[in-house]
Amino acid sequence: MSSLVNSTGPSSSVEALPASSEPKSNSTELFEFACLLRRTSLERSIKTFRLFLDGLPPPAKDGDLRHPKEPHALYNLSSCLLESGSPSPCISTSLSLLRLFTTLYALGPTPPATLPPSKSNDTHNAIYTSTLSLLGSAYLKAGSPSSALRYTQLLTSSSPKPSRTDSWNHANALRNLGMHEDAAQAFLEAVPRLAGEVQLSLPVQTAEVAVGAVCLVKWGKKYGPEYVNRLARALRRHGGFGGGG
């Protein structure tokens, strides 16, 4: 998932603030201070994002933002909460952000996969889709795969190239619901995306031998990674499968 923590852009070079630094009174500076704190203290970052949001005045009229950085702050707060191991507050904050976008862009009761292109800007759309992805992860961690599936299904079915996180979450939501055949199919479809930019090299031995590939994945907590690694080494040694992985 892409990080949307820095208002100056992901390529900016920002030094970590010392623990004694205090936020400014200006709301924009308070937001930027909260973003910087993400690099040193999630707990302090969460408190500062909440301080920023709690201090915003009511909107001038219904459907307006209270501050241009309000969606950014809500997303960052949700992300920090999930990263700190608090999926339930993350879900609550993410749903508040979805309600904000629903009001801003007059969305229907069922959330779309993306915001209307004719009305939204690229930044808002990136925050919106990242929030849907965050909800998929948070609901899984909270032990609610049926709710997670609502968002993972939306994201994986609407894009020809869903993100690796969304693909993995979708397969896991199906598995946790006992839909094992669908989960296996979802995972097999996700394998090329999970592999990222890695190019698999398949050895061609003879015309009579079929060329194939074996994908080994650790799933669950019953056995450690050493079992998968041992099997992988055996396949490379005796099965004629080369390459990394």
Side-chain angles (χ1 to χ4, degrees):
M1 183 183 307
S2 60
S3 176
L4 300 167
V5 299
N6 193 342
S7 63
T8 58
S11 61
S12 300
S13 176
V14 182
E15 295 182 0
L17 294 181
S20 60
S21 297
E22 294 298 331
K24 307 295 184 181
S25 58
N26 179 277
S27 58
T28 299
E29 291 178 343
L30 186 61
F31 166 80
E32 292 174 349
F33 181 78
C35 292
L36 290 173
L37 282 174
R38 281 200 68 169
R39 307 190 178 198
T40 57
S41 171
L42 280 177
E43 182 180 356
R44 292 185 68 201
S45 182
I46 288 169
K47 290 180 179 178
T48 310
F49 278 124
R50 283 176 169 159
L51 185 64
F52 166 80
L53 291 164
D54 291 344
L56 294 180
K61 61 180 180 179
D62 290 342
D64 281 356
L65 289 174
R66 296 182 296 162
H67 188 281
K69 294 298 184 184
E70 184 179 5
H72 305 66
L74 283 167
Y75 173 78
N76 277 282
L77 175 57
S78 299
S79 181
C80 286
L81 287 166
L82 185 61
E83 193 174 341
S84 67
S86 303
S88 295
C90 167
I91 290 168
S92 177
T93 306
S94 296
L95 291 176
S96 296
L97 180 51
L98 286 191
R99 287 193 292 270
L100 177 63
F101 279 127
T102 297
T103 301
L104 285 175
Y105 295 103
L107 306 179
T110 302
T114 60
L115 294 175
S118 60
K119 298 180 180 179
S120 64
N121 58 54
D122 290 342
T123 301
H124 277 191
N125 195 55
I127 295 174
Y128 176 79
T129 55
S130 295
T131 302
L132 297 178
S133 182
L134 201 61
L135 280 165
S137 297
Y139 273 120
L140 273 177
K141 288 193 176 182
S144 182
S146 58
S147 296
L149 187 63
R150 178 187 182 193
Y151 297 100
T152 61
Q153 179 73 52
L154 178 66
L155 291 165
T156 56
S157 64
S158 63
S159 172
K161 289 186 177 181
S163 73
R164 286 174 283 179
T165 297
D166 296 333
S167 300
W168 182 258
N169 284 342
H170 185 56
N172 270 294
L174 290 167
R175 180 178 68 92
N176 291 342
L177 289 168
M179 304 167 67
H180 299 296
E181 290 187 7
D182 291 336
Q185 183 61 38
F187 179 76
L188 288 173
E189 292 173 356
V191 165
R193 294 189 291 272
L194 292 170
E197 301 299 323
V198 176
Q199 299 295 318
L200 298 179
S201 176
L202 305 180
V204 180
Q205 298 173 349
T206 67
E208 292 77 26
V209 178
V211 177
V214 176
C215 178
L216 300 175
V217 178
K218 181 183 179 300
W219 194 318
K221 300 179 180 179
K222 187 173 182 180
Y223 299 101
E226 64 273 10
Y227 289 88
V228 180
N229 294 332
R230 189 178 301 132
L231 179 57
R233 287 193 296 269
L235 282 168
R236 292 193 191 101
R237 208 165 38 239
H238 305 294
F241 292 91

